[in-house]
Amino acid sequence: MTQKDITFVADFLTEHFNEAPELYNRKGKYFNVERVGQYLKDEDDDLVSPPNTEGNQWFNFLKDSTHLKESPLLFPYYPEKSLHFVKRQMEGIIDQCLQKPADVIGKSVHQAVCMSLYKISQSEDSTPQLFKLPFLWNDKTSNLHYVLFTMLENSISKIHILRRHTDTSRSVSNGILAVEFGNFMNNSINESSDSRCYSCLDAHFYDDETVTVVLKESVQQEGKERVLAQLPLS
């Protein structure tokens, strides 16, 4: 330990654990309460040793500011209370702020369509992750919502595109379709169908007409080829 550390500990003991002979006959401890612990007690009682806010720049700033002093945007300060008390107060205010938007949004959301993507056995202990890479895109020009995703297990070489109109009362053609990459990059028709098979690592919309995909060669060997492809939606 350095001399600075020893001095710090000594000052702490001197400040908080002074002997108090006049309290010896009382039951319980006769030492000062450690000042940090009082803030962590989950109770509504006032602090034993409230902080000294004299000279605090923030409080001085608020005191001198006509507009901020009574501003409803500033969370009130409780110098006599613990952090648990302040936390409960803040949680109550936040819940109150979020309740109205939650009610409004909740009443405005409804199910437009339901599609069954896959089925799993009810006997399985853990549900496998079959749905991957959901990426959302909104085409404001055509008022269309898109969702890109892939299905694992038996269709890793496919990317699925779900398209819905922003007006739920209207439908669009080819609401959902799958694009299979497979061996589309084979140089000739004579190549084996398994020689250059690709699966999708990631996919995002580049713009309203183009999808960018990252493909991985599916062969089990080192140095697998990666391909960055731009695919037109048309």
Side-chain angles (χ1 to χ4, degrees):
M1 296 177 65
T2 64
Q3 186 59 41
K4 184 178 180 181
D5 296 330
I6 296 175
T7 303
F8 176 78
V9 173
D11 290 343
F12 178 87
L13 295 175
T14 301
E15 180 178 359
H16 295 292
F17 295 96
N18 286 331
E19 291 189 7
E22 68 278 5
L23 300 179
Y24 284 173
N25 294 327
R26 295 189 184 180
K27 291 184 179 181
K29 297 179 181 179
Y30 42 81
F31 295 110
N32 290 338
V33 176
E34 199 274 301
R35 294 187 178 181
V36 175
Q38 63 178 346
Y39 289 100
L40 305 179
K41 293 181 179 179
D42 191 4
E43 55 189 29
D44 293 339
D45 295 339
D46 292 347
L47 298 177
V48 178
S49 301
N52 181 14
T53 59
E54 184 179 353
N56 185 293
Q57 295 180 353
W58 173 249
F59 294 125
N60 293 339
F61 171 69
L62 291 182
K63 190 186 302 180
D64 298 336
S65 173
T66 307
H67 301 287
L68 288 179
K69 190 184 301 182
E70 305 298 332
S71 173
L73 300 178
L74 290 178
F75 191 78
Y77 177 60
Y78 303 96
E80 306 289 334
K81 297 297 183 180
S82 71
L83 293 179
H84 279 282
F85 177 86
V86 176
K87 175 176 176 286
R88 285 195 299 271
Q89 295 289 320
M90 182 174 289
E91 286 176 342
I93 293 177
I94 292 175
D95 289 342
Q96 185 179 356
C97 292
L98 297 179
Q99 188 59 47
K100 186 67 175 179
D103 292 340
V104 173
I105 295 174
K107 293 175 181 177
S108 66
V109 173
H110 63 278
Q111 179 178 301
V113 65
C114 179
M115 295 182 180
S116 178
L117 297 178
Y118 58 85
K119 293 182 180 180
I120 59 172
S121 172
Q122 295 294 331
S123 61
E124 293 186 17
D125 295 334
S126 60
T127 304
Q129 180 191 4
L130 299 179
F131 189 71
K132 189 182 178 186
L133 288 180
F135 178 77
L136 309 179
W137 180 265
N138 178 237
D139 183 353
K140 294 181 175 62
T141 305
S142 304
N143 295 324
L144 294 174
H145 278 311
Y146 288 92
V147 183
L148 295 180
F149 62 93
T150 57
M151 303 286 290
L152 303 182
E153 304 297 332
N154 59 350
S155 58
I156 58 175
S157 62
K158 296 179 182 178
I159 181 174
H160 297 75
I161 303 177
L162 171 65
R163 180 172 63 175
R164 297 290 301 174
H165 203 282
T166 54
D167 182 356
T168 55
S169 63
R170 300 177 58 183
S171 61
V172 293
S173 59
N174 296 328
I176 185 170
L177 56 84
V179 179
E180 183 166 15
F181 301 102
N183 57 350
F184 77 107
M185 294 184 66
N186 287 352
N187 294 326
S188 71
I189 196 171
N190 297 324
E191 288 192 38
S192 168
S193 60
D194 297 330
S195 61
R196 298 285 292 279
C197 188
Y198 290 86
S199 59
C200 182
L201 279 179
D202 200 359
H204 280 212
F205 267 82
Y206 181 76
D207 55 29
D208 289 342
E209 290 84 27
T210 311
V211 177
T212 301
V213 294
V214 180
L215 303 175
K216 177 185 70 173
E217 199 170 4
S218 300
V219 293
Q220 297 295 326
Q221 64 183 31
E222 291 295 327
K224 295 180 182 178
E225 185 177 3
R226 302 289 193 272
V227 178
L228 181 68
Q230 297 275 79
L231 303 178
L233 272 182
S234 57

